[in-house]
Short mmCIF file of all heavy atoms in Angstrom, two decimals:
data_model
loop_
_atom_site.label_atom_id
_atom_site.label_comp_id
_atom_site.label_asym_id
_atom_site.label_seq_id
_atom_site.Cartn_x
_atom_site.Cartn_y
_atom_site.Cartn_z
N LEU A 79 -109.05 -28.50 39.06
CA LEU A 79 -109.93 -28.89 37.96
C LEU A 79 -109.11 -29.70 36.97
O LEU A 79 -107.92 -29.41 36.75
CB LEU A 79 -110.49 -27.63 37.29
CG LEU A 79 -111.35 -27.81 36.05
CD1 LEU A 79 -112.71 -28.40 36.41
CD2 LEU A 79 -111.51 -26.46 35.33
N TYR A 80 -109.76 -30.67 36.34
CA TYR A 80 -109.06 -31.53 35.37
C TYR A 80 -109.85 -31.61 34.06
O TYR A 80 -111.06 -31.41 34.03
CB TYR A 80 -108.91 -32.95 35.93
CG TYR A 80 -108.16 -33.04 37.22
CD1 TYR A 80 -108.84 -33.17 38.43
CD2 TYR A 80 -106.76 -32.98 37.25
CE1 TYR A 80 -108.15 -33.25 39.63
CE2 TYR A 80 -106.07 -33.06 38.45
CZ TYR A 80 -106.78 -33.18 39.63
OH TYR A 80 -106.10 -33.27 40.82
N LEU A 81 -109.11 -31.93 33.01
CA LEU A 81 -109.73 -32.28 31.74
C LEU A 81 -108.94 -33.43 31.14
O LEU A 81 -107.80 -33.24 30.72
CB LEU A 81 -109.77 -31.09 30.77
CG LEU A 81 -110.54 -31.36 29.48
CD1 LEU A 81 -112.04 -31.53 29.77
CD2 LEU A 81 -110.32 -30.23 28.47
N GLN A 82 -109.55 -34.61 31.14
CA GLN A 82 -108.94 -35.77 30.50
C GLN A 82 -109.37 -35.77 29.03
O GLN A 82 -110.56 -35.81 28.73
CB GLN A 82 -109.41 -37.05 31.19
CG GLN A 82 -108.90 -38.33 30.54
CD GLN A 82 -107.41 -38.49 30.68
OE1 GLN A 82 -106.84 -38.26 31.75
NE2 GLN A 82 -106.75 -38.90 29.62
N MET A 83 -108.38 -35.70 28.17
CA MET A 83 -108.65 -35.62 26.73
C MET A 83 -108.16 -36.88 26.06
O MET A 83 -106.95 -37.17 26.08
CB MET A 83 -107.96 -34.38 26.15
CG MET A 83 -108.36 -33.09 26.84
SD MET A 83 -107.68 -31.63 26.03
CE MET A 83 -105.95 -31.90 26.33
N ASN A 84 -109.07 -37.64 25.48
CA ASN A 84 -108.75 -38.89 24.81
C ASN A 84 -109.04 -38.80 23.33
O ASN A 84 -109.80 -37.93 22.88
CB ASN A 84 -109.57 -40.03 25.43
CG ASN A 84 -109.31 -40.20 26.91
OD1 ASN A 84 -108.18 -40.09 27.38
ND2 ASN A 84 -110.37 -40.48 27.67
N ASN A 85 -108.46 -39.73 22.59
CA ASN A 85 -108.69 -39.80 21.14
C ASN A 85 -108.55 -38.42 20.50
O ASN A 85 -109.43 -37.96 19.75
CB ASN A 85 -110.07 -40.39 20.86
CG ASN A 85 -110.28 -40.76 19.41
OD1 ASN A 85 -109.32 -40.91 18.65
ND2 ASN A 85 -111.53 -40.88 19.00
N LEU A 86 -107.46 -37.76 20.79
CA LEU A 86 -107.27 -36.38 20.33
C LEU A 86 -107.14 -36.31 18.82
O LEU A 86 -106.60 -37.22 18.16
CB LEU A 86 -106.05 -35.78 21.01
CG LEU A 86 -106.31 -35.34 22.45
CD1 LEU A 86 -105.02 -35.21 23.23
CD2 LEU A 86 -107.09 -34.02 22.47
N ARG A 87 -107.66 -35.21 18.29
CA ARG A 87 -107.65 -34.96 16.85
C ARG A 87 -106.90 -33.67 16.56
O ARG A 87 -106.73 -32.83 17.45
CB ARG A 87 -109.09 -34.81 16.36
CG ARG A 87 -110.01 -35.96 16.69
CD ARG A 87 -111.46 -35.58 16.45
NE ARG A 87 -112.38 -36.68 16.75
CZ ARG A 87 -113.70 -36.54 16.85
NH1 ARG A 87 -114.25 -35.33 16.66
NH2 ARG A 87 -114.46 -37.58 17.11
N ALA A 88 -106.49 -33.50 15.32
CA ALA A 88 -105.78 -32.29 14.94
C ALA A 88 -106.61 -31.04 15.27
O ALA A 88 -106.07 -30.01 15.69
CB ALA A 88 -105.44 -32.32 13.46
N GLU A 89 -107.92 -31.16 15.13
CA GLU A 89 -108.77 -29.99 15.37
C GLU A 89 -108.93 -29.65 16.85
O GLU A 89 -109.56 -28.65 17.20
CB GLU A 89 -110.16 -30.19 14.74
CG GLU A 89 -110.86 -31.46 15.13
CD GLU A 89 -110.65 -32.59 14.13
OE1 GLU A 89 -109.54 -32.68 13.55
OE2 GLU A 89 -111.60 -33.38 13.95
N ASP A 90 -108.38 -30.47 17.73
CA ASP A 90 -108.34 -30.15 19.16
C ASP A 90 -107.16 -29.25 19.51
O ASP A 90 -107.05 -28.79 20.66
CB ASP A 90 -108.27 -31.42 20.01
CG ASP A 90 -109.51 -32.30 19.87
OD1 ASP A 90 -110.63 -31.74 19.87
OD2 ASP A 90 -109.35 -33.53 19.77
N THR A 91 -106.28 -29.02 18.55
CA THR A 91 -105.14 -28.12 18.78
C THR A 91 -105.65 -26.73 19.14
O THR A 91 -106.39 -26.11 18.39
CB THR A 91 -104.26 -28.05 17.52
OG1 THR A 91 -103.69 -29.33 17.29
CG2 THR A 91 -103.17 -27.00 17.69
N ALA A 92 -105.24 -26.27 20.31
CA ALA A 92 -105.77 -24.99 20.81
C ALA A 92 -105.07 -24.62 22.10
O ALA A 92 -104.37 -25.43 22.71
CB ALA A 92 -107.28 -25.09 21.05
N LEU A 93 -105.31 -23.39 22.51
CA LEU A 93 -104.95 -22.93 23.85
C LEU A 93 -106.17 -23.18 24.73
O LEU A 93 -107.27 -22.70 24.40
CB LEU A 93 -104.59 -21.45 23.81
CG LEU A 93 -103.98 -20.82 25.05
CD1 LEU A 93 -102.63 -21.45 25.37
CD2 LEU A 93 -103.80 -19.31 24.83
N TYR A 94 -105.98 -23.93 25.80
CA TYR A 94 -107.09 -24.30 26.67
C TYR A 94 -107.05 -23.45 27.94
O TYR A 94 -106.04 -23.42 28.65
CB TYR A 94 -107.00 -25.78 27.03
CG TYR A 94 -107.43 -26.68 25.90
CD1 TYR A 94 -106.62 -26.86 24.79
CD2 TYR A 94 -108.67 -27.34 25.93
CE1 TYR A 94 -107.02 -27.66 23.73
CE2 TYR A 94 -109.07 -28.14 24.88
CZ TYR A 94 -108.25 -28.30 23.79
OH TYR A 94 -108.66 -29.10 22.74
N TYR A 95 -108.18 -22.78 28.20
CA TYR A 95 -108.30 -21.91 29.37
C TYR A 95 -109.16 -22.57 30.44
O TYR A 95 -110.23 -23.11 30.14
CB TYR A 95 -108.96 -20.59 29.00
CG TYR A 95 -108.16 -19.69 28.09
CD1 TYR A 95 -108.43 -19.63 26.73
CD2 TYR A 95 -107.14 -18.89 28.59
CE1 TYR A 95 -107.72 -18.79 25.88
CE2 TYR A 95 -106.41 -18.05 27.77
CZ TYR A 95 -106.71 -18.01 26.41
OH TYR A 95 -105.99 -17.17 25.60
N CYS A 96 -108.70 -22.47 31.67
CA CYS A 96 -109.48 -22.84 32.84
C CYS A 96 -110.24 -21.59 33.26
O CYS A 96 -109.65 -20.50 33.37
CB CYS A 96 -108.52 -23.31 33.93
SG CYS A 96 -109.22 -23.51 35.58
N VAL A 97 -111.54 -21.74 33.52
CA VAL A 97 -112.40 -20.57 33.70
C VAL A 97 -113.35 -20.78 34.88
O VAL A 97 -113.90 -21.86 35.04
CB VAL A 97 -113.22 -20.32 32.42
CG1 VAL A 97 -113.99 -19.03 32.53
CG2 VAL A 97 -112.33 -20.26 31.20
N LYS A 98 -113.52 -19.76 35.67
CA LYS A 98 -114.42 -19.80 36.83
C LYS A 98 -115.81 -19.29 36.44
O LYS A 98 -115.93 -18.21 35.88
CB LYS A 98 -113.84 -18.95 37.97
CG LYS A 98 -114.75 -18.78 39.18
CD LYS A 98 -114.06 -17.92 40.23
CE LYS A 98 -115.02 -17.53 41.35
NZ LYS A 98 -116.00 -16.53 40.87
N GLY A 99 -116.81 -20.07 36.77
CA GLY A 99 -118.18 -19.69 36.45
C GLY A 99 -118.78 -18.74 37.47
O GLY A 99 -118.35 -18.69 38.63
N VAL A 100 -119.75 -17.98 37.04
CA VAL A 100 -120.46 -17.05 37.92
C VAL A 100 -121.94 -17.42 37.93
O VAL A 100 -122.59 -17.42 36.89
CB VAL A 100 -120.32 -15.59 37.44
CG1 VAL A 100 -121.07 -14.66 38.41
CG2 VAL A 100 -118.87 -15.19 37.34
N PRO A 101 -122.46 -17.77 39.10
CA PRO A 101 -123.87 -18.15 39.16
C PRO A 101 -124.78 -16.93 39.23
O PRO A 101 -124.50 -15.98 39.97
CB PRO A 101 -123.94 -18.96 40.45
CG PRO A 101 -122.86 -18.40 41.30
CD PRO A 101 -121.77 -17.93 40.39
N VAL A 102 -125.85 -16.97 38.46
CA VAL A 102 -126.89 -15.94 38.53
C VAL A 102 -128.21 -16.69 38.65
O VAL A 102 -128.58 -17.46 37.76
CB VAL A 102 -126.88 -15.04 37.28
CG1 VAL A 102 -128.04 -14.05 37.35
CG2 VAL A 102 -125.56 -14.30 37.16
N ALA A 103 -128.89 -16.46 39.77
CA ALA A 103 -130.15 -17.17 40.03
C ALA A 103 -129.98 -18.67 39.89
O ALA A 103 -130.83 -19.36 39.31
CB ALA A 103 -131.25 -16.65 39.10
N GLY A 104 -128.87 -19.17 40.40
CA GLY A 104 -128.64 -20.61 40.43
C GLY A 104 -128.08 -21.21 39.16
O GLY A 104 -127.82 -22.42 39.12
N LYS A 105 -127.90 -20.42 38.13
CA LYS A 105 -127.33 -20.94 36.88
C LYS A 105 -126.05 -20.19 36.55
O LYS A 105 -126.00 -18.96 36.71
CB LYS A 105 -128.32 -20.76 35.72
CG LYS A 105 -129.58 -21.54 35.84
CD LYS A 105 -130.36 -21.53 34.52
CE LYS A 105 -130.60 -20.15 33.97
NZ LYS A 105 -131.42 -20.17 32.73
N THR A 106 -125.05 -20.92 36.08
CA THR A 106 -123.82 -20.26 35.64
C THR A 106 -124.08 -19.61 34.29
O THR A 106 -124.34 -20.31 33.30
CB THR A 106 -122.67 -21.27 35.54
OG1 THR A 106 -122.38 -21.77 36.85
CG2 THR A 106 -121.42 -20.61 34.98
N THR A 107 -124.02 -18.28 34.27
CA THR A 107 -124.33 -17.58 33.02
C THR A 107 -123.10 -17.03 32.32
O THR A 107 -123.12 -16.84 31.10
CB THR A 107 -125.29 -16.41 33.28
OG1 THR A 107 -124.69 -15.51 34.21
CG2 THR A 107 -126.62 -16.89 33.82
N HIS A 108 -122.01 -16.76 33.07
CA HIS A 108 -120.83 -16.21 32.45
C HIS A 108 -119.62 -16.56 33.31
O HIS A 108 -119.74 -17.28 34.30
CB HIS A 108 -120.97 -14.70 32.27
CG HIS A 108 -121.20 -13.94 33.54
ND1 HIS A 108 -122.43 -13.87 34.16
CD2 HIS A 108 -120.35 -13.23 34.31
CE1 HIS A 108 -122.33 -13.14 35.24
NE2 HIS A 108 -121.08 -12.74 35.37
N PHE A 109 -118.47 -16.06 32.90
CA PHE A 109 -117.20 -16.46 33.51
C PHE A 109 -116.42 -15.22 33.92
O PHE A 109 -116.22 -14.32 33.10
CB PHE A 109 -116.40 -17.29 32.51
CG PHE A 109 -117.20 -18.42 31.90
CD1 PHE A 109 -117.62 -18.36 30.59
CD2 PHE A 109 -117.54 -19.53 32.66
CE1 PHE A 109 -118.37 -19.39 30.03
CE2 PHE A 109 -118.29 -20.56 32.11
CZ PHE A 109 -118.70 -20.50 30.79
N ASP A 110 -115.95 -15.19 35.17
CA ASP A 110 -115.30 -13.96 35.62
C ASP A 110 -113.79 -14.02 35.72
O ASP A 110 -113.14 -12.98 35.68
CB ASP A 110 -115.91 -13.47 36.95
CG ASP A 110 -115.81 -14.48 38.07
OD1 ASP A 110 -115.40 -15.63 37.81
OD2 ASP A 110 -116.15 -14.10 39.21
N TYR A 111 -113.21 -15.20 35.86
CA TYR A 111 -111.76 -15.29 35.91
C TYR A 111 -111.29 -16.40 34.97
O TYR A 111 -111.89 -17.48 34.90
CB TYR A 111 -111.26 -15.56 37.34
CG TYR A 111 -111.39 -14.36 38.23
CD1 TYR A 111 -112.49 -14.23 39.09
CD2 TYR A 111 -110.44 -13.34 38.22
CE1 TYR A 111 -112.63 -13.12 39.90
CE2 TYR A 111 -110.58 -12.22 39.03
CZ TYR A 111 -111.67 -12.12 39.86
OH TYR A 111 -111.82 -11.02 40.65
N TRP A 112 -110.19 -16.09 34.27
CA TRP A 112 -109.61 -17.00 33.31
C TRP A 112 -108.14 -17.21 33.65
O TRP A 112 -107.44 -16.27 34.03
CB TRP A 112 -109.70 -16.40 31.90
CG TRP A 112 -111.08 -16.13 31.40
CD1 TRP A 112 -112.03 -15.31 31.96
CD2 TRP A 112 -111.67 -16.67 30.22
NE1 TRP A 112 -113.17 -15.31 31.20
CE2 TRP A 112 -112.98 -16.12 30.12
CE3 TRP A 112 -111.24 -17.54 29.22
CZ2 TRP A 112 -113.85 -16.44 29.07
CZ3 TRP A 112 -112.10 -17.84 28.17
CH2 TRP A 112 -113.39 -17.29 28.10
N GLY A 113 -107.66 -18.44 33.43
CA GLY A 113 -106.23 -18.67 33.53
C GLY A 113 -105.52 -18.14 32.30
O GLY A 113 -106.15 -17.60 31.37
N GLN A 114 -104.21 -18.28 32.29
CA GLN A 114 -103.41 -17.83 31.14
C GLN A 114 -103.47 -18.80 29.97
O GLN A 114 -103.09 -18.45 28.85
CB GLN A 114 -101.95 -17.64 31.56
CG GLN A 114 -101.74 -16.44 32.49
CD GLN A 114 -102.04 -15.12 31.80
OE1 GLN A 114 -101.64 -14.90 30.66
NE2 GLN A 114 -102.77 -14.24 32.48
N GLY A 115 -103.93 -20.01 30.23
CA GLY A 115 -104.06 -20.98 29.17
C GLY A 115 -102.89 -21.94 29.07
O GLY A 115 -101.77 -21.61 29.48
N VAL A 116 -103.17 -23.11 28.52
CA VAL A 116 -102.13 -24.12 28.29
C VAL A 116 -102.30 -24.64 26.86
O VAL A 116 -103.41 -24.89 26.39
CB VAL A 116 -102.24 -25.27 29.33
CG1 VAL A 116 -103.58 -25.98 29.26
CG2 VAL A 116 -101.10 -26.26 29.16
#
Side-chain angles (χ1 to χ4, degrees):
Chain A
L79 175 72
Y80 301 100
L81 186 68
Q82 176 67 44
M83 303 186 294
N84 301 321
N85 192 19
L86 282 160
R87 305 167 180 167
E89 53 265 35
D90 296 317
T91 295
L93 189 63
Y94 284 73
Y95 293 100
C96 168
V97 186
K98 174 180 170 288
V100 181
V102 176
K105 295 192 307 183
T106 295
T107 59
H108 58 281
F109 309 107
D110 59 352
Y111 288 97
W112 299 59
Q114 289 295 315
V116 60

